[in-house]
Amino acid sequence: MVWDSIRLAMTNDLARWQFATTSIYHFLFVPVTIGLAFLVAILETVWYRTDNPDYKRMTRFFGTLLLINVAIGVVTGLVQEFEFGMNWSIYSRYVGSVFGAPLAMEGLLAFFLESTFLGLWLFGWDRLPKRVHLATIWAVSLGTVLSAMFILMANSWMQHPVGYKLNKSGEPVLSNIWALFVNPTFVWGYAHVIFAGLITGCLVMLAVSAWYLRKNEHVESFHRTAKVALIVLIPTIVIQLSVGNQLGVIEAHYQPMKIAAAEAQWTNCKPCSFSLIQVGGGANDKTPSQILEIPHLLSVLATGTWSGAVTGLSELQAQYQKKYGPGNYVPDVFIQYWSMRVMAYLASLVLLLALWGGWLLHKDRLRNSRLFLTLCIWAVITPFLMNTAGWLLTESGRQPWIVQGLLKTVNANSPSVSATDIWISLIVFILAYIVLGAADLVLMLRYSRHGLAHADAEAAEPSGGPGAAATVLTY
């Protein structure tokens, strides 16, 4: 009996590791797609309105980077569809009546919208009227945000279940689909993800532009794209910080354990300070050494008020045990605490970088500031770290629940799948993803460095389409 419990726990942990690995990896590509699709649409819009051929060539250039990212990203996302059925069959049956609607809409509406119009955009150069061709890239951008909307709608239901009734078997059945659209965790979580995608796309475009400006190559072209990236980035990062704060207030209300763990707050407090850094604070150290505390900041972040109260982990654990029965309901405090800080601190640095870039644009010094351009090149790493930290904060903070208050993760995996099966598939996935990641990195870097000549060659072709496809295949 003891061995069976250990075996089941090991299998469950491996299934979690596998899904976390594939999800985090896939989420490296999703924000790039959302952000670049929007920025490429802006570039083509400027070309449509000004008829400046330079904007056309930059649209082609960054559009090809978008195509590379989409091609690799779609492959990494397909694995997750199979994992639901293979490793999480109990979970799939349990939530199927709720998840069926948003996931079907994502596949039948958003994904087909995105992929269909991406094909029309790719092969429609000089074949479709300019206005129609412009509409296709905006349809692609719309498809990316709709796809994220339906996925986030399903995920937000796991964080805060709404709009359902339990049937005779104790399984949730969707009774009000509109409740999914107005779920507070969805509204603010979705906004947070979309703005994260825009920030990612801006920093990718800014990094590529800065690389060319620093080398003093194609200066006018990449000064234009750097300007577009900064104009979008500055308001987006400011709004994102505000949205993130409001999302924290929402999660403190519906998932207080997640927010308490993000501060390693074991005792009740009112008002509550925010520690910039601390030593300890995990399950075996409930009295951490907090360094550089900021008075009242945790109250503001968690409650939206100057002196709001935050319930500590110890009291929440007692409340959950009384409500749900014996068990450990405290998530991994180390992951929560540092994920939140990685995300918040890097976002603050990106804000400073963006404001600096805005000032340089205003003074017409952007192309000559080598320090700023160097920092922009390296800053491309930050959105991927922030997005991963945000994913860990959101998903790890829900544990031990896979559906908050309804189904625990330990009870959700497939009983017929062994630890050996998962080990084999996990190793295969990791190796495959290393290859895909290397291919994507090589393609993106090589095209970023040498692709402008190909974009010019495409523009010179009468049809436009085959050259664009050949560029992707060449690189």
Side-chain angles (χ1 to χ4, degrees):
M1 181 67 71
V2 175
W3 170 246
D4 288 340
S5 299
I6 295 175
R7 180 179 58 82
L8 290 173
M10 181 184 300
T11 303
N12 187 271
D13 288 342
L14 283 172
R16 289 180 61 194
W17 270 101
Q18 186 181 86
F19 197 81
T21 301
T22 54
S23 296
I24 290 174
Y25 194 88
H26 178 59
F27 199 63
L28 296 176
F29 299 92
V30 171
V32 179
T33 300
I34 294 172
L36 274 186
F38 180 78
L39 291 170
V40 170
I42 288 179
L43 290 175
E44 185 164 352
T45 300
V46 177
W47 169 60
Y48 173 79
R49 294 180 64 88
T50 65
D51 206 28
N52 185 335
D54 198 38
Y55 281 104
K56 180 179 181 180
R57 68 201 289 256
M58 301 314 293
T59 299
R60 287 177 174 274
F61 177 82
F62 283 102
T64 302
L65 292 180
L66 171 64
L67 289 168
I68 295 170
N69 183 78
V70 170
I72 304 294
V74 168
V75 175
T76 61
L78 291 175
V79 176
Q80 294 176 288
E81 307 293 335
F82 294 99
E83 283 181 326
F84 281 127
M86 292 189 298
N87 292 350
W88 301 99
S89 60
I90 294 178
Y91 161 79
S92 297
R93 284 195 297 268
Y94 187 80
V95 302
S97 297
V98 176
F99 273 32
L103 292 185
M105 286 187 283
E106 192 276 333
L108 296 175
L109 176 61
F111 180 74
F112 279 107
L113 176 70
E114 178 184 349
S115 57
T116 299
F117 282 97
L118 188 61
L120 289 172
W121 181 83
L122 173 61
F123 295 104
W125 286 101
D126 302 321
R127 294 179 176 178
L128 296 174
K130 286 178 63 175
R131 181 177 297 182
V132 175
H133 192 266
L134 174 63
T136 62
I137 190 61
W138 279 111
V140 171
S141 182
L142 176 62
T144 64
V145 297
L146 284 177
S147 181
M149 182 182 74
F150 292 122
I151 296 298
L152 263 294
M153 188 184 298
N155 181 269
S156 297
W157 187 87
M158 295 165 62
Q159 311 288 337
H160 174 51
V162 295
Y164 72 95
K165 294 180 180 179
L166 295 178
N167 61 18
K168 294 180 180 179
S169 301
E171 297 175 346
V173 177
L174 186 63
S175 60
N176 181 6
I177 193 171
W178 178 246
L180 302 183
F181 286 90
V182 297
N183 186 349
T185 58
F186 162 69
V187 172
W188 291 100
Y190 176 57
H192 197 57
V193 167
I194 296 302
F195 285 122
L198 293 178
I199 292 168
T200 303
C202 288
L203 288 172
V204 169
M205 180 175 286
L206 186 60
V208 174
S209 303
W211 188 84
Y212 276 95
L213 291 175
R214 198 173 185 279
K215 290 186 64 179
N216 202 31
E217 295 181 5
H218 308 288
V219 173
E220 292 303 321
S221 298
F222 284 100
H223 186 267
R224 290 188 175 98
T225 55
K227 183 178 180 179
V228 169
L230 284 169
I231 289 174
V232 176
L233 177 61
I234 293 172
T236 301
I237 187 64
V238 172
I239 296 172
Q240 176 73 317
L241 290 172
S242 177
V243 169
N245 181 41
Q246 184 59 35
L247 180 60
V249 174
I250 295 296
E251 290 183 335
H253 179 73
Y254 295 108
Q255 296 176 296
M257 188 72 82
K258 179 186 292 187
I259 298 302
E263 183 55 28
Q265 187 69 42
W266 288 92
T267 59
N268 299 346
C269 59
K270 182 183 179 180
C272 305
S273 300
F274 178 91
S275 62
L276 293 178
I277 190 172
Q278 72 177 26
V279 179
N284 299 320
D285 182 11
K286 299 181 180 180
T287 55
S289 301
Q290 296 185 333
I291 303 171
L292 299 176
E293 292 184 76
I294 302 178
H296 295 273
L297 183 56
L298 179 58
S299 292
V300 173
L301 295 176
T303 68
T305 61
W306 182 248
S307 300
V310 174
T311 306
L313 292 169
S314 297
E315 181 170 325
L316 288 171
Q317 168 68 10
Q319 293 176 6
Y320 281 34
Q321 284 185 324
K322 184 177 180 181
K323 182 176 182 179
Y324 300 113
N328 178 25
Y329 296 93
V330 179
D332 190 305
V333 177
F334 180 84
I335 291 177
Q336 292 301 106
Y337 182 89
W338 287 108
S339 292
M340 197 276 284
R341 278 153 182 78
V342 167
M343 183 173 58
Y345 295 168
L346 289 180
S348 300
L349 292 177
V350 170
L351 173 62
L352 294 176
L353 183 71
L355 293 175
W356 184 12
W359 181 81
L360 291 173
L361 272 179
H362 176 69
K363 296 294 184 179
D364 197 23
R365 298 178 184 174
L366 179 65
R367 68 192 75 193
N368 299 319
S369 179
R370 295 184 63 82
L371 177 58
F372 174 77
L373 296 175
T374 300
L375 291 177
C376 285
I377 295 171
W378 288 102
V380 73
I381 302 172
T382 58
F384 299 99
L385 296 176
M386 288 190 292
N387 295 335
T388 301
W391 187 93
L392 289 171
L393 179 67
T394 300
E395 302 307 313
S396 176
R398 189 184 62 244
Q399 299 302 320
W401 302 103
I402 195 168
V403 179
Q404 183 76 29
L406 295 179
L407 180 65
K408 289 185 177 180
T409 306
V410 71
N411 300 321
N413 62 311
S414 302
S416 60
V417 179
S418 67
T420 302
D421 296 331
I422 300 178
W423 265 119
I424 294 172
S425 58
L426 177 59
I427 292 172
V428 171
F429 286 152
I430 290 176
L431 293 176
Y433 279 9
I434 289 174
V435 173
L436 288 172
D440 181 74
L441 185 61
V442 169
L443 288 169
M444 295 286 278
L445 289 177
R446 288 187 64 184
Y447 188 83
S448 295
R449 293 174 177 175
H450 309 293
L452 197 58
H454 287 266
D456 292 338
E458 293 163 23
E461 292 184 10
S463 63
T471 300
V472 179
L473 294 174
T474 301
Y475 279 90

